[in-house]
Amino acid sequence: MTPAVRVLAFDIFGTTVDWYTGVARQAADVFGHLGVQLDAGTFTSEWRAKYLPSMARVRRHERDWAYLDTLHRESLDELLLEHGVDDSVDEASRQRLVDAWHRLPAWDDSVAGLRRLREHHVLAALSNGGFALMTNLVKAADLPFDCILSAELAHAYKPDARVYRTAAGLLDVRPDEVLMVAAHGWDLEGAAAAGLRTAFVERPREKGPDRQADRAADVKADLHATDFLDLAGKLGV
Amino acid sequence: MTPAVRVLAFDIFGTTVDWYTGVARQAADVFGHLGVQLDAGTFTSEWRAKYLPSMARVRRHERDWAYLDTLHRESLDELLLEHGVDDSVDEASRQRLVDAWHRLPAWDDSVAGLRRLREHHVLAALSNGGFALMTNLVKAADLPFDCILSAELAHAYKPDARVYRTAAGLLDVRPDEVLMVAAHGWDLEGAAAAGLRTAFVERPREKGPDRQADRAADVKADLHATDFLDLAGKLGV
């Protein structure tokens, strides 16, 4: 790969942390406490399924830019109505559910892989999560990033090119000196369109036991890796 | 102090790292290499003396917002002219001098103090240095911040209130939940005017052996500390 990659930008939800397990566990707690009969795993999948459409409305300028927390809350309210449990989930519980996305477990290889990569590159978290959400999540999971970047800084959402270009601009590098690392084809397509390099990391358990995560064979990227340690090896560090 | 402080925002140049020693050492290298007869310590003090006036022109809207690197470069060019050595310092050497501000040694207590404080608070670097400069400097000095913030994100310079309020906003806290930590009265005055709490850390060697740094007795702040470990003690952590 030439020119040299100077910055590695990591997607977070699904790529660096396990949102499915983390949110499902916290949702099971909340529902158990309230006596609400909802399967936490199914609920988590359905909630996440509303994520891309909710951001797409921002990208298509059908609404103003809004925090991911706001989008999560709106889709949570919708989902609770759809399941007929709107009356059973109080305000504090809804807040706890939205906050579940602020505290998620890292994949087993994430910390060790990032630590190895950080000796050779600048590592940035580049997520659609807001700056505060991302700072709290990275701190709680003890992820060794050099800086937090967020779609919030561009007031846009990935895969909008402005998110990737704002990240490169803030780090004072050219887009093709940034390698975007993600477990999602749509994110890497957006990054490539903005002029970044791309690395796909396969996270087969990302969507839980019953849904198919993006597969290496289906995703076009400059590099493919099985986890962050494999990525370090493929980058020769 | 009530309400509770959630975020500690640290000034960097002088407060967390020793710009005088770091820049003077690198300038001595560059001048020695070129055979330029300039005292590196005096030169460094003179260069820094142009820092506040150059930013004040941005704050007064006499010019558009510009990177700190750009301001450093302009004041460097002026200074070399003033000393009659304009012809002796080539482009690459000027670039090396501007880059000296990207790589500065931490004060002896900085890493240990930050590590202790980080267990209890979100720690942000909040500098007039640009986002890329700050990311590189924090990485090189191995300073354990949770996130990098920069005046660049507000397109303004401290002590402009927008810098402090943008920082609080990005971290989703109220201004009075942020404690600004600095070795400079002017920075803390700006922070207080924007609604932040303030902690003065005395750095008597900040301006080198011949110039007087800001003194605790002259600076109004909610807290006064002798270094970051003393600050941790005063915050009860």
Side-chain angles (χ1 to χ4, degrees), chain A residues 51-66 71 128 155-164 186 190:
Chain A
Y51 169 75
L52 284 177
S54 70
M55 291 190 304
R57 286 191 286 275
V58 174
R59 282 208 317 284
R60 289 192 306 260
H61 305 288
E62 292 168 23
R63 63 177 295 176
D64 286 341
W65 189 84
L71 303 181
N128 278 333
H155 267 223
Y157 280 115
K158 297 189 288 181
D160 189 314
R162 288 176 296 174
V163 176
Y164 308 100
W186 60 267

Side-chain angles (χ1 to χ4, degrees), chain B residues 22-41:
Chain B
V23 174
R25 192 179 294 148
Q26 294 175 78
D29 262 13
V30 170
F31 295 153
H33 193 73
L34 297 171
V36 166
Q37 301 298 318
L38 269 187
D39 178 74

Side-chain angles (χ1 to χ4, degrees), chain B residues 187-207:
Chain B
D187 196 352
L188 297 179
E189 274 174 43
L196 279 67
R197 313 300 189 79
T198 54
F200 178 73
V201 176
E202 198 159 16
R203 294 296 192 190
R205 295 187 291 123
E206 189 218 334
K207 297 186 178 178

Side-chain angles (χ1 to χ4, degrees), chain A residues 75-124:
Chain A
S75 52
L76 171 66
D77 290 348
E78 266 176 46
L79 199 55
L80 295 174
L81 268 171
E82 287 166 23
H83 282 286
V85 295
D86 190 47
D87 292 340
S88 313
V89 184
D90 58 27
E91 177 57 33
S93 300
R94 287 171 201 239
Q95 193 53 54
R96 270 191 68 197
L97 288 166
V98 168
D99 286 347
W101 295 91
H102 294 218
R103 221 179 165 88
L104 298 170
W107 295 113
D108 285 344
D109 55 283
S110 292
V111 171
L114 291 173
R115 201 168 283 149
R116 193 164 135 196
L117 291 159
R118 193 185 186 186
E119 288 173 34
H120 302 270
H121 298 281
V122 170
L123 305 191

